Amino acid sequence: MQSTDLGNKESGKIWHRKPSPATRDGIIVNIIHTTSDYLPKVLRFLNVAFDSSGDCLLAGDHQGNIYVFDLSGNRFTLVQRTAQACTALAFTLRRKTEFLVALADYSIKCFDTVTKELVSWMRGHESSIFSISVHASGRYAITTSSDTAQLWDLDTFQRKRKLNILQSVGIQKVFFLPLNNTILSCFKDNSIFAWECDTLFCKYQLPAPPESSSISYKVFAVTRDGRILASGGKSNHLHLWCLEAKQLFRIIQMPTQVRAVRHLEFLPDSFDAGSNQVLGVLSQDGIMRFINIQTCKLLFEIGSLDEGISSSVISPHGRYIASIMENGSLNIYSVQALTQEINKPPPPLVKVIEDLPKSKPTSGDLKMKVTSRRVQRPAKSRENQTQTRIVKQDLTGKSENKENELSDGLNKKRLQILLKGYGEYPTKYRMFIWRSLLQLPENHTAFSSLIDKGIHVAFLNLQKKYPIKSRKLLRVLQRTLSALAHWSAIFSDTPYLPLLAFPFVKLFQNNQLICFEVVATLIINWCQHWFEYFPNPPINILGMIENVLAFHDKELLQHFIHHDITSQLYAWPLLETVFSEVLTREEWLKLFDNVFSNRPSFLLMTVVAYNICSRAPLLNCNFKDDFEYFFHHRNNLDISVVIREVYHLMDTTPSDIHPDSMLDVFVALTKGQYPIFNQYPKFIVDYQTQERERIRNDELDYLRERQTVESMQAEVDQQKVEDEAWIQKQELLQKAEETRREMLLEEEARVIQQRQRLAAVKRELKVKEIHLQDAARRRFLKFQQDRREMELRRLNDEIERKNFTRNQEAVAKEMREDADAYRRKVDLEEHAFHRLLETDETQNQKTQKWEEAEEKDFCLKLEKKASALSDASRKWFLEKELDDALEHAPHLYDKVAPRCQNEEVASSCLPQSSQLNDFSEVGSSTWSSLNQRKIQWDIMERDLIERVRNLRRRLTAQARSRCQTPHLLAT
C-alpha cells in the first residue's frame, strides 16, 4: 500500500509509482495530511465528493483545506483555504470546475477549482448543514440541516423554496432522486415523502414500516435508476422500498456483528442499466460490507477493526471508493481489485495431465533442498523459521515447489531453467524478475521515514570524493547512501559503500525505493560476514575465496603468493565494486541475473571463476602495479565463460570449503519495517563513531576558530584597507586643500592687485572729481559772485534811481508846499507883522515863541518821514533779495550747467548718482559753499543796511537843511 503525506505542499503527485492494489484490501493509496509545525499533528479529513466523471475527488479537512485529487492524472491540488471546517461537499454541478461547500458558520460557498476564486456565498441556515444534494442537471441543489431544507437555483444562487417543519419532527435527509425531478424527504418519525421538483407538489408518501421490524431510519441510498430505496438505522436490518410500487418489498438482516448502520451506498455497475444490485453497508464497527441485495450474499468488505472507516463515497462509474478512516486519513480503493475474485471466470472443464519430470533428483540435489548442514552453523534469530520449513521435507516435492514459488506467482526453478537456457533474462522483464527473485517488500512508509531524515553528515561532501557528471545521479546516490546510513550506523563508516551501491543506483535511478531495497537485500544476503572485521576487509570471506582458489588452481595461487599478491588485491576489489569496474553494463546485468537467481555463495564463486578464467594474463604479470591495474579495469574476458565456470565451481567444490557451509540461505526484507542490521563489531563502530564524532567536533571547533580567525583577519584586513583608504583619502584631501589654498592665495593676490589697481583708479577718479568739483565750484562761486555783484549793482542803481526820483518828487513837493506855506506864511507874517505893529511888544514875544515851536514841529515831522522812508526802503530791499535768492536757487543748475557743458565740466558741477554715496565728501563742500554764501549775504545785507542808513542820514541832513531855509528866507 502506498502512502502519501500532503504536508505543506499545495500540489504534487498522489502516488510515486504505478499503483498495484492487492486483492485482499484493494487500497490504491492512503492519503494523510500532517503539519510540520513545532508540534506536528494530523489534519483529519471530514468530507469527500466525486465529480460527475468519477476521476476527480474533492476532500476537505477540519481546518478548511480543500484538495482536488485527479486520479487519472495522478495529481493533487490545494484549491481553497476556507479556515473553517467543512460539513458537506458537492462536486457535480453543471459547471464542472465549480463545487459547493457547507461551512461551520452555517453558510454555503461556491468556489472554482481552476481560478480558486469565490463564485457565490449563500446564507439562510441557522444550524449545521450535513447534506448537499445536486439535481442530475446540476442546476438545483438542496441543502439540509436538522431544522430545515432549502432549495437553491445554482444559476442565480438564489433560494427558491424553504422547507419548515416542527422542531419535534426533525429532518433526516432531503435529496433528489437520480434521473428524475422527484425530491425525497425523510424525517425522524420514519415518514418519507416524495415531492415534485418544479411545483413542490407532494406526489406520494411511503407507508409506515411494519412494527415487527421497526427501524429508526438514519441513512438512505437510492439506485441509479431511482427505483429502489434502501434505509437503515439503529438496527442490523435494512429495508428495501420499491418506489414505483410504493411498498416495502424486502428486509435484509445483516450479520450479528452489525448493530447499527452508519452509511448506505449502492455500487454502480456499467452493465446493469442503473439497477444496482450491490449495496455497501457501513456499520458501527468501521467495516463497510458490500452485499448483493438479490442473493443477500456478502461479496467483499473494506476496513477493519483496527483501521475503521467513518464515511465512504463511491465514484459514479463505480471504479473507486473513497473512505475517510477513523484516524483522519483518506483511503482510495480500487473496486476492480476488490471484485477480482468475484468476477474471475469459472475454472475450465478440461484438465490436462502433466508428465513426470524427466530428470530425477540426485542425492546432491536432495541434500541441497534439505540443507541438513545448516544445523552445523551457529543458530540465529531468523534461522528458526527457515529451519522449520526445511526440516519438514516432502518426498513428493511439495515443499520444493513451495520454496521455489515467489510472491508474484513466478517459479524460481523455472526461472533458473530459463536462465541456464538463455544465459540471461529478457531485458524487458529483467527488473520485474529481479524484484520477484529478491522478494522486495516495497515499504514506502519506512523508506520515506529514512529519506525524511535528510542527507547523512557522512555523505554531505560526496561529490568531492566521487565527482559524478550527472547531478541527478549524484543526488540519488547521496540519498540512497544516506538512507542506508540511517538504517544502520555501520554504513556511514563503510568506505566502499558508494562503489557497492553505484551500479544499482545507476540502474534504478528513477525508483529510489527499489534501489534502496535491492542494495539492502544484497548486503543482507550476498554481503554476509563482510563487516565482522570492520574496518578491515572481511578476512573470513577472503579466506573462503582463497581456499576455493587453492583447491581449483594451486598454480595461480602460488603465483600470487610468489609476487606477494594477497586476496585483498585479487579478490576484494572485485567484491567491493561488485564487478562494476571490470565488466560492461550488459556483462554486469548478465552476471547479476545469475547472482540473484542463486545462493549467496554464487558471488564469492564468481570471484574465483574470474581469476581462474584470467589465469593466462595473470601468470604473465610480475609487478604489483600490473595486478592492481588488472583488477580495476576491464579485460578481454567472456562473461559467459566466467558464469559457466561459476556453476562448475558450485557443483565441484567440496562441502568443507564450500562457502555455502558458512553462509545463510536467502532471506528477504520484512514487510512494513526493515530488519535491524547489526552484524558488525558494534564496539568498533561505536568507537569509530565516537572518534569520528570527536574528530568532527574538533574539526567543527577548529573550523569555528578558523572562521573566527578568518573573520578577525578579514576585519583586520578590512580595517587595514579602510585605514589605507582613509589615509589615501586624507592625502588626497590634503593635496586638494593645499591646491585650494594655493588657488585661494593666488586669487587673493589677484584680488589684492585688482583692489590696488581699483583703489588707484578710484584715487585718480577722486582727484579728478575733486579737481572738477573745485573748478566747478570756483566757476559757480565766481559766477554767483559776479551775478550777485551785478544784481547788487542793478539793485543799487534801481534803489538810487527810485530814491532819487522819490526824493526829487518829495523834495519838489515839499519845496512847493514849503513855498506855498512860505508864501502863505509870508502873507500871514506880513499880515501879522502889520497886526504886530499894532500890538505891543509882549505880543511880539509870544509870536516869536510860536514860530520856534512850529519850526521844531516841522523838523520832527521831517525826521519821522525820513525814518519811515528808510525803513520802507530797507524792508523792500530785504524782501527783494530774499525773493531773488529763492528764485535763483532751484534754477542754479540750469543756469550753471550750460556753461559747464561748454567747458566740459557739466558732470562735475553737481553730484552724480554714483557720487551720492560719497555724501560726506560732497556734502561738506556744499555746506561750506552755502555757509560762505550766507556769510556773503549777511555782509551784503549789512552793507545795504549801512547804505540805507547813510541815505537816511543824507536825507535827514537835506531835510534839516531845507527846514533851515525858511528861517534863512525869513531872516
Side-chain angles (χ1 to χ4, degrees), residues 756-800:
Q756 290 176 354
R757 290 196 296 269
L758 182 61
V761 172
K762 281 185 176 181
R763 286 194 298 271
E764 293 177 358
L765 292 176
K766 181 64 71 175
V767 171
K768 290 182 179 179
E769 183 180 0
I770 292 171
H771 292 327
L772 291 174
Q773 288 179 354
D774 291 340
R777 184 175 58 81
R778 286 193 297 270
R779 290 190 184 95
F780 177 73
L781 292 176
K782 186 176 182 300
F783 169 77
Q784 196 73 10
Q785 185 177 0
D786 295 341
R787 183 175 176 277
R788 285 295 181 182
E789 291 178 354
M790 183 180 62
E791 287 292 331
L792 288 174
R793 286 194 299 268
R794 184 179 63 81
L795 289 174
N796 290 329
D797 295 340
E798 186 72 19
I799 290 170
E800 289 178 356

Side-chain angles (χ1 to χ4, degrees), residues 231-451:
S231 305
K234 293 183 179 180
S235 173
N236 65 344
H237 288 181
L238 299 177
H239 287 185
L240 300 180
W241 294 86
C242 179
L243 297 181
E244 291 181 343
K246 303 177 185 60
Q247 63 181 2
L248 181 67
F249 73 93
R250 182 168 300 162
I251 298 176
I252 300 176
Q253 183 177 0
M254 295 297 293
T256 56
Q257 298 92 339
V258 178
R259 299 190 302 274
V261 179
R262 295 167 56 182
H263 184 71
L264 291 175
E265 190 158 0
F266 281 97
L267 181 64
D269 193 342
S270 302
F271 303 100
D272 60 4
S275 59
N276 311 133
Q277 301 298 312
V278 180
L279 177 63
V281 182
L282 178 61
S283 58
Q284 87 289 339
D285 57 1
I287 299 175
M288 192 170 188
R289 299 170 175 88
F290 289 82
I291 61 173
N292 190 304
I293 60 174
Q294 298 297 332
T295 62
C296 296
K297 289 184 178 180
L298 178 63
L299 303 180
F300 62 92
E301 59 184 26
I302 58 177
S304 62
L305 296 177
D306 296 332
E307 297 180 357
I309 299 173
S310 60
S311 64
S312 288
V313 177
I314 302 176
S315 63
H317 50 47
R319 296 178 186 173
Y320 306 109
I321 302 174
S323 299
I324 297 177
M325 312 305 291
E326 292 179 350
N327 59 6
S329 63
L330 178 64
N331 278 359
I332 309 297
Y333 295 90
S334 172
V335 177
Q336 182 181 2
L338 292 171
T339 59
Q340 186 175 2
E341 293 294 330
I342 304 172
N343 297 329
K344 70 179 181 179
L349 300 177
V350 180
K351 298 292 183 180
V352 180
I353 299 175
E354 296 181 358
D355 295 334
L356 293 173
K358 297 180 180 180
S359 59
K360 296 182 180 180
T362 60
S363 58
D365 293 338
L366 185 61
K367 289 180 181 178
M368 183 180 64
K369 293 175 183 176
V370 175
T371 62
S372 59
R373 57 182 173 273
R374 182 180 180 84
V375 181
Q376 300 175 0
R377 295 195 297 273
K380 295 186 179 181
S381 60
R382 64 185 183 192
E383 291 178 359
N384 298 330
Q385 299 176 0
T386 56
Q387 187 176 3
T388 303
R389 185 178 69 246
I390 295 174
V391 168
K392 294 181 180 180
Q393 184 181 2
D394 191 356
L395 296 178
T396 60
K398 292 182 179 180
S399 62
E400 176 186 353
N401 292 333
K402 185 177 180 180
E403 182 180 356
N404 291 327
E405 287 293 333
L406 302 177
S407 61
D408 292 317
L410 300 177
N411 187 281
K412 186 176 180 179
K413 194 68 177 178
R414 293 181 181 179
L415 290 175
Q416 289 177 344
I417 295 173
L418 177 66
L419 182 63
K420 287 183 179 180
Y422 291 96
E424 60 181 340
Y425 292 127
T427 304
K428 184 177 181 180
Y429 302 103
R430 175 177 280 121
M431 299 299 103
F432 172 72
I433 294 173
W434 281 19
R435 290 162 60 181
S436 301
L437 289 172
L438 300 178
Q439 302 177 24
L440 302 181
E442 301 185 16
N443 299 326
H444 291 272
T445 304
F447 178 71
S448 298
S449 65
L450 294 176
I451 291 295

Side-chain angles (χ1 to χ4, degrees), residues 99-234:
F99 65 92
L100 294 176
V101 53
L103 301 175
D105 62 352
Y106 313 148
S107 65
I108 309 105
K109 291 184 179 180
C110 180
F111 293 100
D112 194 297
T113 59
V114 177
T115 62
K116 300 181 181 180
E117 294 180 353
L118 177 65
V119 179
S120 180
W121 191 349
M122 299 172 284
R123 290 182 177 273
H125 284 273
E126 297 179 356
S127 59
S128 179
I129 301 169
F130 55 80
S131 172
I132 300 177
S133 177
V134 181
H135 191 265
S137 64
R139 181 180 178 183
Y140 301 106
I142 296 177
T143 56
T144 307
S145 60
S146 60
D147 56 353
T148 184
Q150 300 183 14
L151 178 63
W152 302 87
D153 187 347
L154 297 183
D155 288 340
T156 61
F157 295 102
Q158 299 294 325
R159 184 175 63 187
K160 294 187 64 177
R161 292 295 179 89
K162 180 179 180 181
L163 175 63
N164 294 318
I165 60 171
L166 297 176
Q167 188 175 2
S168 59
V169 178
I171 299 176
Q172 290 290 5
K173 191 174 183 180
V174 180
F175 56 96
F176 288 102
L177 291 182
L179 305 179
N180 56 41
N181 288 333
T182 303
I183 299 175
L184 215 61
S185 59
C186 308
F187 301 95
K188 292 183 179 180
D189 58 356
N190 288 349
S191 59
I192 300 175
F193 293 86
W195 309 82
E196 184 66 29
C197 179
D198 297 331
T199 62
L200 294 180
F201 176 75
C202 184
K203 298 174 65 175
Y204 57 84
Q205 178 184 0
L206 296 181
E211 296 180 358
S212 59
S213 61
S214 62
I215 305 174
S216 178
Y217 289 158
K218 297 290 185 183
V219 291
F220 307 89
V222 182
T223 57
R224 297 291 294 173
D225 57 4
R227 295 180 178 179
I228 298 176
L229 171 67
S231 305
K234 293 183 179 180

Side-chain angles (χ1 to χ4, degrees), residues 549 553-564 619:
L549 181 62
D553 197 338
K554 294 183 179 179
E555 181 183 0
L556 180 60
L557 180 60
Q558 196 64 34
H559 179 71
F560 287 153
I561 296 173
H562 178 70
H563 291 88
D564 197 19
L619 291 175

Side-chain angles (χ1 to χ4, degrees), residues 709-727:
V709 173
E710 289 178 353
S711 62
M712 293 176 62
Q713 184 64 33
E715 291 179 359
V716 171
D717 295 340
Q718 182 67 23
Q719 187 67 30
K720 184 177 179 181
V721 171
E722 292 178 357
D723 293 342
E724 292 178 354
W726 183 84
I727 293 173

Side-chain angles (χ1 to χ4, degrees), residues 685-702:
V685 175
D686 293 342
Y687 176 75
Q688 286 191 348
T689 302
Q690 294 174 1
E691 287 297 314
R692 189 171 287 104
E693 188 67 24
R694 183 183 61 80
I695 294 172
R696 185 177 292 111
N697 293 332
D698 293 342
E699 185 178 0
L700 290 176
D701 294 338
Y702 166 73

